[in-house]
Amino acid sequence: MTSTTVTTTAETGPTGETGETGPTGVTGPTGATGPTGVTGATGPTGVSGATGPTGPMGATGLTGPTGAGPTGATGNTGAAGSFSEVAPAGALERGFWAATSPDPLALDRVAMGTISFPVPLASGLTAEEVHYLKNGETLTERCEGSATDPSVSAAAPNGTLCIYTGLEENSPTTGYTTTVENAAGATGAAPEGAAVVFAPPSESSENKLNVRGFWVVKAP
């Protein structure tokens, strides 16, 4: 006997309401890093910025060590200097002179001022070549200078000595005998210099002398 099965399909019912969202699941592991991208092109150079202010000066550095180079060779000896033992003819020499007598001069006493030539003359000078001038006096063609400008006239010959007086404080004011002498006491001058000698006019307790000035000589 044959059996027959009959299957009957029921109709699908209506869809039910959506259920509530379930909780978020656990984050999955980070994926592998992707490959590096291609380098982009270099951008254009930017505009130069303004120059900044100068910074403060730094402290002075320490002095470096002394060099260790060898000492240089000694130089050659220089030529001997020249010095004339006598003044050349026509050379001019100048100087200061003074004579004072702090104590009264008796007739047997004199006041004396000395003149020393820095460079000796080739010869002494005679009385005619020596000229003593009181303050304000000049001698044409020989001594046209002064105590403030001791000079010899351009026309003066070699072998001329001009003795100029600047200050004169004498008592009495006049009457003194003045001579210019060499070392032997003769009128004139020695190659090394001369003495200006003042003798009082008379015996007096008022005889006092204070004279000074400048001299100039044109070498013979």
Side-chain angles (χ1 to χ4, degrees), residues 103-105 171 202-208:
D103 298 322
L105 291 174
S171 177
S202 61
E203 187 76 39
S204 173
S205 61
E206 299 298 323
N207 290 338
K208 291 188 178 181

Side-chain angles (χ1 to χ4, degrees), residues 86-93 117 119-126 129 156-161 189-192 217-220:
V86 296
L92 297 180
E93 298 185 59
F117 303 140
V119 181
L121 307 179
S123 62
L125 305 178
T126 66
E129 296 173 315
N158 294 348
T160 297
L161 172 61
E192 296 78 17
V217 64
K218 188 175 183 180

Side-chain angles (χ1 to χ4, degrees), residues 21-24 35-36 46 52 54-55 66 87 123 125 130-131 139-140 142 159 174 194:
T21 302
T24 302
T36 302
T54 302
T66 302
S123 62
L125 305 178
V130 174
H131 310 284
L139 183 62
T140 304
R142 291 291 187 275
T174 61

Side-chain angles (χ1 to χ4, degrees), residues 9-180:
T9 302
E11 292 182 1
T12 301
T15 301
E17 294 180 1
T18 302
E20 294 180 0
T21 302
T24 302
V26 178
T27 301
T30 301
T33 301
T36 302
V38 178
T39 301
T42 302
T45 302
V47 178
S48 298
T51 302
T54 302
M57 182 178 292
T60 302
L62 300 175
T63 302
T66 302
T71 302
T74 302
N76 297 327
T77 302
S82 60
F83 179 79
S84 178
E85 295 184 358
V86 296
L92 297 180
E93 298 185 59
R94 294 180 175 85
F96 173 83
W97 71 276
T100 59
S101 60
D103 298 322
L105 291 174
L107 285 177
D108 59 348
R109 297 180 61 195
V110 296
M112 182 182 302
T114 57
I115 292 174
S116 296
F117 303 140
V119 181
L121 307 179
S123 62
L125 305 178
T126 66
E128 291 74 21
E129 296 173 315
V130 174
H131 310 284
Y132 175 82
L133 297 101
K134 296 177 68 64
N135 192 2
E137 292 181 342
T138 59
L139 183 62
T140 304
E141 297 184 355
R142 291 291 187 275
C143 306
E144 295 180 340
S146 66
T148 57
D149 179 25
S151 59
V152 174
S153 302
N158 294 348
T160 297
L161 172 61
C162 301
I163 304 170
Y164 296 100
T165 302
L167 174 70
E168 291 181 292
E169 294 180 340
N170 302 338
S171 177
T173 56
T174 61
Y176 282 88
T177 301
T178 306
T179 57
V180 180

